[in-house]
Amino acid sequence: MKVKGSPYLRANKPLFQKLLAALLEQYPYASILASDVREKSYMVNRRLTSVNGGGIFSGRGFVVKVFDGQHWSEHSFNRISEELLPDVLAQIRETVSLSDTALPAGTVEGVFSAPAEEKTVFQGSTELEVDPEELGDDVILERLTAIRDRGLRYSDQLLDCQVRTEWNRTSKLFLSPNKDMEQNIMWTTGTAVTIAHRGQEIKNSYQSMSCLGGMELLDRLAQTIEKAARTTIELLDSVPIVPGEYECVCAPDVTGMIVHEAFGHGLEMDMFVKDRAQAKRFIGQYVASPLVTMHDGASSAPQTGSFFFDDEGVMAHDTIIIDKGVLKTGMSDLQSAMILGTEPTGNGRRESYRRKAYTRMTNTWFEGGTDSVEDMIASVKDGLLLDEPSSGMEDPKNWGIQCMVSFAREIKDGKLTGRIFSPIVLSGYVPDLLKSITMMSPDVELAGGGFCGKGYKELMKVSDGGPWIKARIRLG
Amino acid sequence: MIDRIINTLKELDISTYLVTETVTHSAEAFFVKKRMDLKRRTTLADYTASVYRTMERDGETLVGVCDAPVYPGMDDSELREALSSAYHAASFAGNPRYELLSGRKEDFVPARSGYAEMPLEECMRTTAEAIFAPDVHEDVFVNSVEVFALRKVRRVVNSRGVDVSWESYNVNGEYVIQCVDPSDVETHHIFSLREPDPAALSAEVEASLARTRDRALASRPPKAGSYTVILSEDNVRELLSWYTARSGSGMVYQRYSDWAVGQNVQGEDIRGDRLTVTLKADEPYDSAGIPLKDRPLLENGVLRTVHGGFRFAHYLGIEPTGQYSCTEVPTGSTPLAEMKKKPYLYVVSFSDFQMNSFSGHFGGEIRLAYLYDGETVTPVTGGSINGSILEAQGNMVFSKERYRSARFSGPYAVAIENVAVAGLNG
């Protein structure tokens, strides 16, 4: 079934059109992004049960972007009505004239041009199988409770088993002189975490998944709980790793973290505008093994980074970033593309209507290869299998890697020995890692259980992934 | 709107609730070098309505809670639907009974910040000017700046009489410093200010310019091994966040932490400095309307307070302290210069230094560190540190110098022996 649209946005569309018309009487270009985001999350652990009707993206509001013939301004607000319209217009005009009083000494305001827009009328909704609102809060909590109980039954050593799911339904309208667009998207995530302790030290393992859809995800979540529980118990015997460079086999979610954190952020072309991305100088060059082909795009895969159009009214793309090891292009928002003289790729995204649009990733992933996971492990004489990414941070300028994974399993003479190391910090130089990839499995898995930031802010839902890969990585 | 929400709750016979209103105004600017690419303002009113439902199940009284999505512009029927749906959902989320904080209507607390004396646009402009003031060099410069100047007015009302409101100011953002010679590098910096202090911000930028110049000279990671590691500034706050996290009432109630008041949580074998931490009240109330005051968290390594909101406090039978985001730690007696007399690895910039409040492991990739081998100081980059607070807490030595940021006031630096560092082999 299709995701339902927002009655609020549809009912108020004439008001938004009236606001746009009033702005266009004064300014050469203006756009309005109106969004209505509903979220609900559920959590069950040994001692608590919770349901929350809001989330970090929940909200209903508007952002107006105005081009006054030379400069760009934005105004975010969340109250509008016929009566408030004159006030809203006055506030926007005040924002446009802000530089008269707020331009810092010694700086200048950038002079730009208006976007060239093609006439676009669009309406689209994604699909879902199980509507969480029809399924009901009681059934969702019962199913999470059953998964929790299954996890806790695995071992008496488990301190806790926390199971959570969250759904998000986003409706957006984008209106500008030539665009009239509406989209309705639903994604759902699920996570199961099992926890045990070794003295003061708490060890945990998780299974996380996501889908572009609804509560059909819960069936898959239930299948993973024993794996998380088993790993947690194994982690009780984990030891610190001896720092060094290792031959590594990476699980798909670790591949995803490398794709996203280590490399993807450096391809966000607002970083090209600022001269903050080393990738700018490497277009057309080998940056990875010839085995590697990398995609980004809201239409490249059905996942949590999917949409029909971005927050600047640009239709979604499937961009080939790396083609058989050669860096082809970056990904771009509209304003960066206008400055750079390139085509926007549908990557202009806002954390919400409250925030500025930046170039952001969507669904970012490596294509699969031809090697089996068994052959990868068998090919390693002395190395590690890396699993469960925990965090990462970009370094677009210098392509340094910071990624953390929960654990590594020892491989000796082509076999897993049962020894386990935790935690693990990956470091090194991104192209060195990507060029060292020698094997890739056929199947590609994407997940979007977590959040992506730009620096330390601007949280965003994305997905990333790829196949199992074998590479050489510096670990500590 | 807040009155409409409460009236609708009463119409629906929802007798236990906590409603918040946050009105935010901001002025924002985005610079690429000294060119302002975009200016923004926001005018936002946000509401939350938490509805509580008491129920009997198997002879036990339970309480469920659910936050309702409430937005400005909702008509009466939509508001009723949002609140009644949340009340329905709360019936499936039963937890042991607890009570909201009781209180009364209190006077509005205006912000005491110097930012309150000027328009937000001026807060934004003067902050950007302070960042650009030291940007006078040819080889190293400010690459980009984002400034967000915010004024918030918050009100919290609950069904047990609490009705508090207060104002706060914050100016935050980030700046990136670039150095192009001998190699093209950058360093990334974030700031968060509650008081205007342009001279201090300019001095911080000046120091960042100097460090970025050193970053351009650094080309190799340190050799892998074990080092006396020095951490400074907000990395000290992140390291010590272990103690605030593990003493949270939610961690204790869920048995992720077995800490109790009176326990020596830093351990007995202390060769370095004993730790004292104060929870600092940087706002008059927390998000649930609990009045905040300065409280001792640790004294000489001994836990003095298990802290948190009213729910877990009720479960644990302790006083609800509210949620804190700011800590203060006394400085040590060792000058930073003294720490630097023996071989060390002083990491001044990580890509993202993190403390894991579950495992106690801390670490991060090194963007810039100074390596002193006993003879020379060399800037290094790359590699990572990977330590455990459980092993480190006995030999932390704090600097005599003080560091202050929006969320932390404490020693400028800490030295820790025997921390594992990943880097070059051999």
Side-chain angles (χ1 to χ4, degrees):
Chain A
M1 73 186 95
K2 294 280 188 193
V3 175
K4 287 179 275 192
S6 160
Y8 174 83
L9 292 184
R10 286 177 182 168
N12 285 281
K13 187 173 175 181
L15 195 56
F16 307 143
Q17 289 170 320
K18 194 171 174 180
L19 174 61
L20 182 65
L23 291 168
L24 291 173
E25 281 177 15
Q26 188 174 354
Y27 304 111
Y29 177 89
S31 67
I32 299 175
L33 178 73
S35 56
D36 186 357
V37 182
R38 281 290 317 275
E39 293 182 301
K40 205 161 195 178
S41 62
Y42 306 81
M43 189 283 294
V44 174
N45 68 13
R46 192 190 280 271
R47 306 200 79 184
L48 299 170
T49 302
S50 73
V51 53
N52 191 336
I56 63 169
F57 300 121
S58 292
R60 184 182 279 179
F62 326 98
V63 55
V64 165
K65 188 163 186 171
V66 172
F67 178 67
D68 68 0
Q70 288 192 302
H71 315 302
W72 287 105
S73 312
E74 286 190 357
H75 191 77
S76 296
F77 56 104
N78 60 1
R79 284 181 289 193
I80 193 168
S81 65
E82 277 289 344
E83 298 72 37
L84 287 173
L85 208 51
D87 284 347
V88 170
L89 271 165
Q91 286 173 8
I92 293 168
R93 288 177 184 131
E94 205 177 316
T95 301
V96 175
S97 62
L98 192 64
S99 37
D100 296 344
T101 55
L103 191 66
T107 67
V108 296
E109 191 164 14
V111 176
F112 303 103
S113 52
E117 287 187 334
E118 288 181 11
K119 187 90 180 163
T120 311
V121 176
F122 178 84
Q123 198 282 327
S125 295
T126 57
E127 299 277 343
L128 76 162
E129 292 174 24
V130 181
D131 186 336
E133 291 182 287
E134 288 178 13
L135 188 63
D137 303 318
D138 50 345
V139 174
I140 293 170
L141 284 168
E142 279 169 15
R143 293 186 63 182
L144 296 188
T145 304
I147 297 170
R148 175 202 65 183
D149 292 345
R150 190 167 153 180
L152 287 173
R153 277 197 300 273
Y154 184 84
S155 169
D156 291 341
Q157 288 179 276
L158 289 176
L159 178 66
D160 206 349
C161 174
Q162 183 179 104
V163 189
R164 59 179 296 131
T165 187
E166 176 184 28
W167 60 262
N168 170 299
R169 189 182 64 220
T170 295
S171 295
K172 287 182 178 174
L173 285 180
F174 184 88
L175 303 172
S176 69
N178 285 304
K179 296 195 174 183
D180 182 340
M181 309 167 87
E182 177 190 339
Q183 65 182 355
N184 305 293
I185 315 286
M186 177 175 275
W187 53 255
T188 300
T189 62
T191 311
V193 185
T194 47
I195 299 164
H197 66 89
R198 181 174 64 180
Q200 286 288 309
E201 193 178 1
I202 291 176
K203 294 292 190 182
N204 64 288
S205 175
Y206 72 88
Q207 291 290 305
S208 178
M209 57 195 56
S210 60
C211 73
L212 189 66
M215 283 297 154
E216 57 269 26
L217 187 84
L218 290 183
D219 291 335
R220 284 169 51 205
L221 189 61
Q223 303 307 314
T224 65
I225 189 67
E226 276 92 359
K227 185 181 176 197
R230 184 170 60 249
T231 304
T232 299
I233 300 302
E234 288 179 292
L235 283 170
L236 293 176
D237 295 322
S238 65
V239 293
I241 192 171
V242 176
E245 263 193 32
Y246 292 88
E247 204 74 52
C248 296
V249 176
C250 300
D253 50 1
V254 177
T255 304
M257 181 174 63
I258 292 167
V259 172
H260 176 99
E261 294 292 355
F263 198 68
H265 279 291
L267 276 302
E268 293 170 338
M269 290 172 75
D270 53 356
M271 296 290 165
F272 288 24
V273 172
K274 295 174 179 173
D275 194 23
R276 288 193 59 200
Q278 187 161 178
K280 191 177 177 181
R281 299 199 301 272
F282 282 77
I283 302 289
Q285 296 184 37
Y286 274 98
V287 293
S289 148
L291 298 174
V292 173
T293 292
M294 172 179 166
H295 294 246
D296 176 89
S299 64
S300 72
Q303 256 297 343
T304 50
S306 298
F307 46 75
F308 297 102
F309 57 87
D310 72 5
D311 292 336
E312 298 174 308
V314 177
M315 294 303 288
H317 283 50
D318 176 2
T319 309
I320 306 268
I321 305 288
I322 298 174
D323 189 13
K324 299 181 180 63
V326 177
L327 181 59
K328 304 302 281 189
T329 183
M331 55 199 96
S332 181
D333 64 290
L334 179 60
Q335 190 160 337
S336 297
M338 287 169 62
I339 294 169
L340 295 165
T342 56
E343 286 296 313
T345 56
N347 290 77
R349 304 183 70 190
R350 300 174 188 273
E351 178 180 286
S352 74
Y353 65 89
R354 300 157 185 276
R355 308 291 288 190
K356 173 189 183 294
Y358 296 81
T359 303
R360 303 304 298 270
M361 281 176 271
T362 54
N363 306 304
T364 314
W365 49 281
F366 284 169
E367 287 185 5
T370 56
D371 306 290
S372 71
V373 179
E374 293 74 20
D375 285 349
M376 285 187 204
I377 294 170
S379 72
V380 175
K381 178 157 181 54
D382 183 2
L384 296 159
L385 186 154
L386 306 183
D387 207 347
E388 277 192 25
S390 53
S391 70
M393 179 53 82
E394 70 266 28
D395 181 13
K397 185 70 179 178
N398 306 116
W399 267 341
I401 299 167
Q402 161 155 333
C403 296
M404 294 192 187
V405 300
S406 295
F407 63 90
R409 295 180 186 279
E410 186 180 61
I411 305 171
K412 290 271 189 197
D413 298 323
K415 291 190 173 64
L416 291 163
T417 65
R419 282 192 86 197
I420 189 164
F421 304 95
S422 172
I424 308 291
V425 182
L426 287 68
S427 62
Y429 182 57
V430 174
D432 289 349
L433 190 159
L434 298 187
K435 285 178 180 173
S436 77
I437 294 173
T438 51
M439 300 176 90
M440 301 177 92
S441 72
D443 296 330
V444 171
E445 295 175 28
L446 277 81
F451 299 98
C452 165
K454 186 113 170 161
Y456 292 88
K457 57 187 183 63
E458 315 298 338
L459 291 183
M460 183 71 63
K461 207 65 182 165
V462 297
S463 78
D464 54 52
W468 290 79
I469 62 171
K470 182 184 157 194
R472 189 156 187 87
I473 309 176
R474 182 187 298 150
L475 305 176
Chain B
M1 181 76 183
I2 208 161
D3 293 334
R4 276 185 65 211
I5 294 169
I6 291 171
N7 288 336
T8 309
L9 287 164
K10 287 176 178 169
E11 285 168 22
L12 292 166
D13 284 332
I14 299 173
S15 58
T16 310
Y17 54 81
L18 188 149
V19 181
T20 69
E21 175 187 65
T22 305
V23 176
T24 307
H25 290 87
S26 79
E28 307 167 8
F30 302 81
F31 300 88
V32 176
K33 298 193 173 68
K34 288 178 180 165
R35 182 188 78 211
M36 184 165 77
D37 274 8
L38 179 69
K39 54 192 182 289
R40 301 185 88 246
R41 288 198 317 154
T42 63
T43 307
L44 304 165
D46 295 298
Y47 300 88
T48 65
S50 304
V51 297
Y52 297 78
R53 186 165 188 154
T54 303
M55 62 204 104
E56 298 290 326
R57 197 165 297 160
D58 302 327
E60 190 184 357
T61 303
L62 302 176
V63 171
V65 59
C66 183
D67 291 346
V70 286
Y71 311 125
M74 279 184 154
D75 62 26
D76 289 345
S77 69
E78 201 181 6
L79 183 57
R80 284 178 67 89
E81 170 61 23
L83 295 170
S84 58
S85 293
Y87 193 59
H88 178 71
S91 68
F92 306 114
N95 291 290
R97 183 173 167 274
Y98 60 99
E99 290 187 344
L100 300 187
L101 188 75
S102 64
R104 60 180 186 175
K105 183 165 176 54
E106 303 285 356
D107 290 341
F108 172 72
V109 182
R112 291 195 298 268
S113 167
Y115 287 124
E117 307 299 319
M118 54 181 123
L120 283 175
E121 292 78 12
E122 196 176 333
C123 300
M124 182 268 282
R125 179 177 58 76
T126 53
T127 303
E129 286 174 348
I131 292 170
F132 283 117
D135 186 17
V136 294
H137 308 282
E138 289 284 320
D139 59 332
V140 61
F141 49 87
V142 176
N143 169 286
S144 47
V145 178
E146 297 187 358
V147 181
F148 303 80
L150 296 105
R151 173 182 183 260
K152 290 189 177 191
V153 174
R154 278 173 277 193
R155 185 178 171 201
V156 179
V157 179
N158 79 13
S159 51
R160 297 194 71 207
V162 167
D163 186 350
V164 297
S165 54
W166 71 101
E167 177 193 41
S168 64
Y169 282 81
N170 177 258
V171 178
N172 66 69
E174 64 176 41
Y175 62 91
V176 175
I177 306 288
Q178 184 178 1
C179 184
V180 293
D181 189 48
S183 55
D184 190 357
V185 300
E186 69 171 33
T187 57
H188 178 270
H189 308 266
I190 56 176
F191 61 91
S192 178
L193 309 165
R194 291 182 175 274
E195 283 291 343
D197 191 349
L201 183 58
S202 292
E204 197 177 302
V205 175
E206 186 74 63
S208 302
L209 288 160
R211 282 182 181 172
T212 310
R213 202 178 262 134
D214 287 341
R215 169 71 185 83
L217 295 169
S219 57
R220 292 162 64 85
K223 282 184 180 173
S226 180
Y227 290 82
T228 294
V229 166
I230 300 175
L231 305 172
S232 63
E233 298 158 275
D234 274 318
N235 296 327
V236 180
R237 176 187 59 77
E238 179 67 15
L239 180 81
L240 301 180
S241 68
W242 162 260
Y243 298 95
T244 14
R246 294 292 281 227
S247 54
S249 54
M251 287 280 264
V252 173
Y253 174 71
Q254 292 180 88
R255 297 178 183 159
Y256 301 158
S257 168
D258 60 1
W259 287 13
V261 170
Q263 186 179 339
N264 184 347
V265 297
Q266 196 185 355
E268 300 295 339
D269 184 19
I270 305 296
R271 285 158 288 133
D273 292 335
R274 290 205 173 267
L275 184 61
T276 293
V277 181
T278 301
L279 298 170
K280 292 294 287 181
D282 58 343
E283 302 257 0
Y285 304 98
D286 82 345
S287 59
I290 299 175
L292 297 177
K293 62 178 184 182
D294 293 357
R295 290 174 186 270
L297 181 72
L298 258 69
E299 284 175 349
N300 295 316
V302 176
L303 186 68
R304 295 296 179 211
T305 304
V306 171
H307 60 97
F310 54 84
R311 177 183 182 177
F312 293 120
H314 187 100
Y315 290 166
L316 295 172
I318 60 175
E319 181 192 1
T321 65
Q323 311 276 358
Y324 289 78
S325 60
C326 187
T327 52
E328 185 174 274
V329 177
T331 55
S333 56
T334 310
L336 181 58
E338 184 75 23
M339 288 180 184
K340 291 182 175 176
K341 284 186 175 166
K342 295 177 188 168
Y344 61 82
L345 182 71
Y346 176 17
V347 190
V348 296
S349 178
F350 288 96
S351 50
D352 185 24
F353 179 68
Q354 291 191 1
M355 161 59 70
N356 184 322
S357 60
F358 268 25
S359 68
H361 285 98
F362 58 87
E365 186 228 3
I366 299 166
R367 291 269 166 96
L368 173 64
Y370 297 99
L371 175 64
Y372 176 55
D373 60 6
E375 293 180 1
T376 55
V377 178
T378 311
V380 293
T381 186
S384 60
I385 75 164
N386 188 345
S388 166
I389 190 74
L390 298 170
E391 294 165 12
Q393 62 184 351
N395 66 26
M396 296 186 294
V397 175
F398 297 114
S399 73
K400 194 173 181 179
E401 297 82 1
R402 179 167 288 279
Y403 170 76
R404 288 185 178 86
S405 66
R407 294 167 57 198
F408 179 66
S409 172
Y412 180 84
V414 58
I416 310 166
E417 294 172 0
N418 299 320
V419 178
V421 174
L424 292 175
N425 291 325

